């Protein structure tokens, strides 16, 4: 169907969305005709109006406050480190979702696959500790860049992380679920995954989002370097 895209600065254009059969808890992903490097996330029609309004405010803030990310060497093409909102999608003059850069799923794999050597091999990735340490480093730098902008992932887990098989850079998905705690904007904390949740936040709200990110990151690094074993198993 046809929508209108609103880019930073107010530039507007009409676009046609094409369903690709990918859907999640909050919305559905669409291809955008004539924009192969981008996709659109459209929130489900059943989303309450007040929730949609909160999404709109958050996406607007994120479009204006993208973190300064590590510079990618020119020899590496089209590395997307964050599925970050770059434009708003309007349907019938109402906010419906956002546009983000497309992560090439053919060049990437879920970080979860690196926790089991056999799964990584099936994806055509030969694991060694040098590669794993590089992935750990690239993920750590990415989290630090977010924190410098007063943004936390909170629900940091391998299934939401993609690794470029050749270049070893990391992409974080579901950026619209991040927790923002800047002076200019504050968003609600997202859901969390128990196996990556710091013990001090069990059965209570996450009151220190950066500490939660570092705990989840440490757990992921431990598992990457210890054959998938969870530190508390």
């Amino acid at each position: 169907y046809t929508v209108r895209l609103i880019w930073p600065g107010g530039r507007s254009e009409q676009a046609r969305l094409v369903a690709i059969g990918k859907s999640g808890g909050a919305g559905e992903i669409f291809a955008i005709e004539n924009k192969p490097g981008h996709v659109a996330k459209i929130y489900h029609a059943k989303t309450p109006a007040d929730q949609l309004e909160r999404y709109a405010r958050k996406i607007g803030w994120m479009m204006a406050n993208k973190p300064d990310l590590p510079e990618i060497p020119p020899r590496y093409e089209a590395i997307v480190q964050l599925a970050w909102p770059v434009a708003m999608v309007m349907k019938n003059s109402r906010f419906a979702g956002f546009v983000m850069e497309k992560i090439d799923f053919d060049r990437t794999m879920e970080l979860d696959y690196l926790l089991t050597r056999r799964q990584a091999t099936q994806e055509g990735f030969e694991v060694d500790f040098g590669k794993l340490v590089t992935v750990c480093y690239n993920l750590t730098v990415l989290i630090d860049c977010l924190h410098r902008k007063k943004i936390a992932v909170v629900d940091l887990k391998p299934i939401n992380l993609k690794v470029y098989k050749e270049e070893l850079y990391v992409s974080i998905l579901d950026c619209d679920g991040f927790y923002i705690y800047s002076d200019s904007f504050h968003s609600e904390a997202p859901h969390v995954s128990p196996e990556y949740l710091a013990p001090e936040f069990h059965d209570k709200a996450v009151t220190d989002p950066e500490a939660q990110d570092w705990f989840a990151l440490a757990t992921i690094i431990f598992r990457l370097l210890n054959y998938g074993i969870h530190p508390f198993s």
Side-chain angles (χ1 to χ4, degrees):
Y1 56 88
T2 301
V3 297
R4 184 157 293 279
L5 310 182
I6 309 295
W7 298 87
R11 180 172 67 86
S12 171
E13 67 173 309
Q14 192 167 287
R16 182 170 175 77
L17 304 186
V18 181
I20 56 176
K22 291 186 180 294
S23 184
E28 184 176 355
I29 304 299
F30 290 82
I32 308 174
E33 276 191 3
N34 303 318
K35 291 189 182 298
H38 293 83
V39 293
K41 180 173 182 176
I42 303 300
Y43 293 110
H44 293 310
K46 63 182 179 182
T47 305
D50 59 335
Q51 179 66 57
L52 208 57
E53 188 177 325
R54 287 195 292 271
Y55 280 141
R57 290 197 299 269
K58 186 175 187 178
I59 296 304
W61 186 91
M62 295 178 78
M63 285 169 55
N65 292 276
K66 184 175 182 179
D68 296 320
L69 300 177
E71 188 173 340
I72 303 293
R75 67 182 182 277
Y76 298 149
E77 293 184 5
I79 300 287
V80 179
Q81 298 178 86
L82 293 173
W84 197 261
V86 295
M88 285 191 175
V89 177
M90 310 297 288
K91 182 181 179 184
N92 299 326
S93 300
R94 298 186 63 184
F95 173 80
F98 64 92
V99 175
M100 56 188 163
E101 289 183 272
K102 181 182 179 181
I103 295 172
D104 189 340
F105 284 12
D106 291 332
R107 293 170 59 197
T108 59
M109 64 179 175
E110 284 184 13
L111 186 141
D112 209 41
Y113 291 166
L114 292 179
L115 302 179
T116 308
R117 301 286 176 107
R118 186 173 57 189
Q119 274 191 302
T121 302
Q122 288 173 349
E123 286 289 313
F125 187 91
E126 291 302 320
V127 176
D128 63 53
F129 279 106
K131 290 179 181 178
L132 293 175
V133 169
T134 302
V135 169
C136 292
Y137 173 83
N138 286 335
L139 176 57
T140 302
V141 171
L142 204 50
I143 298 300
D144 185 56
C145 289
L146 289 172
H147 289 179
R148 289 173 187 269
K149 205 74 174 180
K150 299 298 181 184
I151 302 166
V153 181
V154 179
D155 193 18
L156 182 62
K157 53 189 177 184
I159 199 170
N160 282 344
L161 303 171
K162 289 279 188 178
V163 176
Y164 283 84
K165 300 175 192 177
E166 293 293 330
E167 300 87 354
L168 306 180
Y169 281 97
V170 178
S171 297
I172 306 182
L173 309 178
D174 290 340
C175 295
D176 57 320
F178 287 177
Y179 179 58
I180 300 168
Y181 50 102
S182 76
D183 293 335
S184 60
F185 187 84
H186 199 280
S187 71
E188 56 193 12
H191 297 295
V192 292
S193 300
E195 64 267 40
Y196 295 99
L197 181 63
E200 61 266 31
F201 303 131
H202 282 203
D203 302 320
K204 61 184 73 173
V206 175
T207 53
D208 188 340
E210 290 189 14
Q212 165 54 29
D213 274 3
W214 292 131
F215 178 87
L217 177 66
T219 303
I220 291 170
I221 290 173
F222 185 98
R223 295 194 68 194
L224 279 170
L225 301 181
N226 288 275
Y227 300 92
I229 299 169
H230 193 286
F232 293 166
S233 68

